Amino acid sequence: MNACVQTIADYGLRAIGIGKRLLPREDFTLCEQFTLIGSGMIWNVYFGVLALIAGFGFATLLALGKASNTKTVRKPSEWFIFLFRGSPLFIQFFFGYFLFLKLKTVFPIFAPFTAAWLGALVVLFFNTSAYTAEIFYGALRSIPKGDIEAADAYGLSGWSRFKHVIWPTMLRLAWPAYTNEAIFLFHATTLVFFSGFPAWQQRGDALYYASYFADKTFNPFIPYPILASYFILLTLCVIGLFSIVNRRLNRHLPANTRQRLRIRPNLIR
Amino acid sequence: MSIYWSVLTVLLLLGITAPTALAFGFAGASATRSRIAPVSWLGRGYIAVVRGVPDIAFFLFFVIALDQVIEATRHHVLCPDWVEPIRQGSDFVVCQAAKMPQGNAPQWVHESYGFAIAVFTFAIVFGAFAANVIQGAMAAVPRGQIETGESYGMTSRQTFWRILVPQMWVYALPGLSNLWMVLIKATPLLFLLGIQDIVYWARELGGIKTSRFTDYPHGDWRMWYFLALLVFYLIFTRVSEITLERLMTRLTRGQATTTGEAQRKAGTT
């Protein structure tokens, strides 16, 4: 028991570089595997949360752009969404990494982008923006006509109409799909350290450590189920948070017409 | 030269996996509809388990796990008088005869064995998703259609094959085409399974030097190689999108759906 507390103290924050430098080499205990994979989750949460928050704003803009009547705004948004939804995230990571490497040689300011904490975040941010924008765009198109007519009748227009009527309705309609997108994004964060971005001083994410253990012990039956259980916990947290927001978005509707969150786990992007 | 072969590898993977996954999906979905309870549970369990586990962890896990399960089974069958345990600390030891493929097998056997395991993994994972789609599609076929079949005196087997199966495709197609897109975008993960696919060759050929040749006469071209891959995947998804759209129009002809109805009206007037 005490040994385990010591292990947690040594490796609990290993993923961000605090604690023992060397990873355990042999005689892996269950405690070590739990602690290290758990500390790797810090990165998954970091990538997921930041990309989600930043992507939310950008996705709203993109969705509005795609729904706009002006061609100069619509075309770039459509292309952006197509580019990031049409190609595998894995290839995007690789391309992003080598692009940043190249840019670094010309503009030294791009140096931090070749590290995972910023470079991968940027790629994830663009990717989730594109997917979310498509969801929001679908929701924008299915806003009931009556809602907008009612807003017009109240004399709302422009920004105030968007803020009070269109935007909340769009969110309400898009929310179940957006929840899936969020879960999906957290799963996608596991790709980061397998796609060019180096894990500096072995500071990797949960899957990085899980595959480290699987490689060392030749036993996939312990680290991967641990990883899976961490992810199921994370997914449950995401669902919990999103359903609170969902309840707030739907609070004006009668209880029997409210949209329920339907969780459809997706596979890969 | 090898990069062209690896493109073929990817296409081959798609070509084999898609029908296999469809077969898995069909079997899974039919199993859930079975009147024998254990068969139905088996189908439901398969769908629930595979869909619940997060993405690439499954791929990484399954390949090693499958390999070890095969070797362990062969070990028990072929060398029954072996007394030592299979797991010795961090080693996985089986007798010589149980090695899969045999240690003295030619190189291509090793490669195709790895490929076969990868295909099987893909088929299992995507089969579960396809099963889910097909299950929904079977439920979406109007009840009246089956009742009509029954009233003509068809047995349940006949209604299944002659009425349910031909009609469900139109409901399954949107989901299946979605899945096809996901499958295309999942192919770069072959790289993670240790297959020398296009990602591998893009990294090798684009780099300044490789493990095998000393120097290439060009600088770091990896960025351009990955740009080419990105474009390749974009074109591929776009072409599939258009093809599936056509297929959908073809399939809805004469069906009892809104689009089918609209087509009928457009045809008559």
Side-chain angles (χ1 to χ4, degrees):
Chain A
M1 191 61 219
N2 275 331
C4 192
V5 173
Q6 183 59 37
T7 311
I8 293 177
D10 282 347
Y11 292 115
L13 296 171
R14 176 64 180 76
I16 46 175
I18 301 170
K20 255 194 190 170
R21 183 88 187 259
L22 285 177
L23 293 185
R25 297 238 160 254
E26 56 216 345
D27 300 331
F28 305 96
T29 59
L30 258 185
C31 179
E32 278 171 345
Q33 305 205 4
F34 263 106
T35 315
L36 259 180
I37 295 175
S39 94
M41 289 300 287
I42 297 173
W43 280 114
N44 294 99
V45 173
Y46 160 83
F47 284 129
V49 169
L50 286 190
L52 212 57
I53 292 172
F56 180 80
F58 192 41
T60 314
L61 290 181
L62 275 176
L64 287 176
K66 192 173 175 181
S68 128
N69 288 325
T70 326
K71 209 171 177 186
T72 45
V73 182
R74 194 177 67 234
K75 283 291 163 192
S77 325
E78 275 177 0
W79 272 100
F80 183 89
I81 293 174
F82 173 64
L83 181 71
F84 280 94
R85 287 184 78 228
S87 58
L89 177 66
F90 199 50
I91 302 283
Q92 288 166 21
F93 273 133
F94 269 115
F95 177 66
Y97 176 62
F98 293 120
L99 178 73
F100 290 139
L101 270 188
K102 196 111 215 173
L103 284 173
K104 191 171 89 167
T105 56
V106 188
F107 311 102
I109 198 166
F110 279 99
F113 282 90
T114 54
W117 69 268
L118 189 55
L121 187 62
V122 169
V123 177
L124 273 174
F125 159 62
F126 283 148
N127 189 281
T128 189
S129 302
Y131 276 88
T132 312
E134 188 66 25
I135 294 172
F136 284 176
Y137 171 68
L140 266 184
R141 290 214 308 179
S142 47
I143 291 179
K145 205 169 70 179
D147 285 19
I148 295 181
E149 280 166 1
D152 288 339
Y154 274 105
L156 294 174
S157 68
W159 170 246
S160 58
R161 188 178 73 165
F162 174 75
K163 191 181 144 203
H164 293 293
V165 180
I166 296 180
W167 196 61
T169 316
M170 178 192 88
L171 279 186
R172 182 169 61 82
L173 294 175
W175 207 255
Y178 186 53
T179 311
N180 284 335
E181 161 62 25
I183 294 170
F184 201 16
L185 176 73
F186 277 105
H187 288 180
T189 55
T190 50
L191 276 173
V192 169
F193 289 101
F194 286 86
S195 59
F197 287 102
W200 186 57
Q201 287 180 350
Q202 296 188 311
R203 299 175 189 174
D205 76 331
L207 188 64
Y208 175 83
Y209 288 124
S211 73
Y212 171 84
F213 284 121
D215 278 353
K216 292 275 184 240
T217 58
F218 287 108
N219 184 0
F221 295 98
I222 295 172
Y224 289 120
I226 294 177
L227 176 76
S229 61
Y230 273 126
F231 265 96
I232 289 167
L233 273 182
L234 184 62
T235 309
L236 289 179
C237 292
V238 172
I239 292 172
L241 283 176
F242 273 72
S243 60
I244 293 173
V245 180
N246 190 46
R247 212 174 305 144
R248 181 165 167 80
L249 285 172
N250 283 298
R251 68 192 184 284
H252 60 289
L253 293 177
N256 55 351
T257 57
R258 281 182 197 170
Q259 268 183 312
R260 297 292 304 258
L261 280 184
R262 295 230 315 277
I263 304 308
R264 291 207 203 96
N266 218 328
L267 186 68
I268 233 151
R269 52 171 83 189
Chain B
M1 217 34 226
S2 314
I3 192 163
Y4 301 112
W5 279 115
S6 61
V7 173
L8 279 185
T9 313
V10 168
L11 294 181
L12 190 68
L13 175 92
L14 282 173
I16 299 177
T17 312
T20 326
L22 206 57
F24 270 72
F26 191 76
S30 323
T32 55
R33 286 179 71 88
S34 168
R35 256 181 255 133
I36 311 159
V39 179
S40 158
W41 291 336
L42 198 70
R44 277 169 216 282
Y46 166 57
I47 298 177
V49 167
V50 178
R51 287 179 76 222
V53 174
D55 39 28
I56 66 168
F58 201 94
F59 284 100
L60 286 180
F61 165 74
F62 206 77
V63 171
I64 316 179
L66 196 65
D67 198 38
Q68 290 192 352
V69 166
I70 291 176
E71 289 201 337
T73 322
R74 282 170 59 92
H75 176 80
H76 285 299
V77 174
L78 295 175
C79 328
D81 43 347
W82 190 279
V83 281
E84 291 171 48
I86 294 181
R87 287 200 187 287
Q88 300 173 355
S90 20
D91 284 324
F92 185 81
V93 183
V94 290
C95 66
Q96 266 311 311
K99 283 261 187 286
M100 187 73 189
Q102 296 287 311
N104 52 7
Q107 181 63 21
W108 69 268
V109 174
H110 281 270
E111 277 174 14
S112 37
Y113 178 70
F115 185 71
I117 283 202
V119 167
F120 192 65
T121 313
F122 268 79
I124 286 201
V125 175
F126 281 91
F129 283 82
N132 191 47
V133 170
I134 292 177
Q135 192 192 0
M138 283 177 174
V141 172
R143 183 82 194 108
Q145 299 277 342
I146 297 168
E147 277 167 7
T148 313
E150 279 164 356
S151 71
Y152 272 98
M154 290 185 180
T155 61
S156 64
R157 179 187 295 264
Q158 279 174 325
T159 50
F160 180 77
W161 284 110
R162 296 194 189 168
I163 294 178
L164 190 64
V165 174
Q167 287 200 32
M168 80 179 193
W169 293 112
V170 69
Y171 300 101
L173 197 69
L176 288 181
S177 57
N178 215 347
L179 211 57
W180 168 253
M181 299 294 176
V182 178
L183 182 62
I184 291 176
K185 286 189 258 163
T187 48
L189 293 176
L190 271 183
F191 171 70
L192 289 184
L193 308 185
I195 311 265
Q196 300 187 346
D197 75 329
I198 37 184
V199 177
Y200 173 84
W201 285 110
R203 262 165 73 111
E204 285 286 295
L205 296 176
I208 302 172
K209 55 180 172 231
T210 62
S211 42
R212 223 178 300 162
F213 312 106
T214 44
D215 271 332
Y216 281 123
H218 57 69
D220 196 347
W221 280 3
R222 279 177 293 188
M223 187 182 114
W224 306 113
Y225 273 96
F226 277 106
L227 186 64
L229 279 191
L230 207 71
V231 173
F232 166 73
Y233 276 107
L234 279 179
I235 294 172
F236 202 9
T237 35
R238 188 79 200 124
V239 169
S240 322
E241 245 174 40
I242 294 168
T243 319
L244 288 167
E245 190 91 359
R246 293 233 175 105
L247 189 65
M248 188 70 195
T249 341
R250 180 78 192 75
L251 273 182
T252 44
R253 200 171 290 169
Q255 291 275 2
T257 56
T258 356
T259 340
E261 188 67 13
Q263 275 180 10
R264 191 180 61 83
K265 277 188 184 144
T268 49
T269 51

